Amino acid sequence: MSNYLLNGKLTAKQGQQGELAKILIEASRIVSTAKGCRLYVIGRAPDDRCSVYITEIWDSKEDHDQSLKVEGVRELIAKAMPLLDGPPAKGQELEILGGAGI
């Protein structure tokens, strides 16, 4: 498989998880139309009131990198940054071994 899988976790300042999630969901709507996007989902853990998780599958890392140039994405990143409790950590890049729907 040559797809690109990225798991990320963003930690919001206290009380900002919901607003951060809204921004990321809006971003998912924008990048879901980008070339090579197979999956872009936002989640949270029931026992964690600060973190928001992002799971992305792309045809390639290059397609993922290009998605950051899609109109509106940079604006949403700028909107999300003040809500974060520190700089975002690098996402975890994983090798896809298989599975349904890919």
Side-chain angles (χ1 to χ4, degrees):
M1 301 246 140
S2 62
N3 295 76
Y4 178 70
L5 169 61
L6 182 64
N7 279 327
K9 173 184 171 184
L10 296 174
T11 303
K13 293 176 182 172
Q14 190 69 31
Q16 296 299 314
Q17 181 194 47
E19 187 60 30
L20 179 59
K22 283 183 197 176
I23 292 168
L24 293 170
I25 290 167
E26 186 176 344
S28 76
R29 290 185 188 111
I30 294 172
V31 298
S32 69
T33 63
K35 176 185 176 290
C37 182
R38 300 290 173 192
L39 177 78
Y40 194 103
V41 295
I42 309 305
R44 67 176 178 196
D47 61 344
D48 184 345
R49 294 182 177 205
C50 293
S51 299
V52 180
Y53 296 82
I54 306 102
T55 300
E56 307 175 51
I57 297 178
W58 295 86
D59 285 342
S60 68
K61 182 174 185 331
E62 292 75 28
D63 286 339
H64 167 267
D65 293 346
Q66 287 300 312
S67 74
L68 298 174
K69 298 177 183 176
V70 171
E71 186 177 338
V73 170
R74 293 271 181 214
E75 291 81 5
L76 290 173
I77 291 170
K79 195 174 174 183
M81 291 302 284
L83 304 177
L84 299 181
D85 189 19
K90 181 175 176 6
Q92 184 180 26
E93 297 174 332
L94 300 171
E95 178 183 0
I96 296 176
L97 303 176
I102 54 170

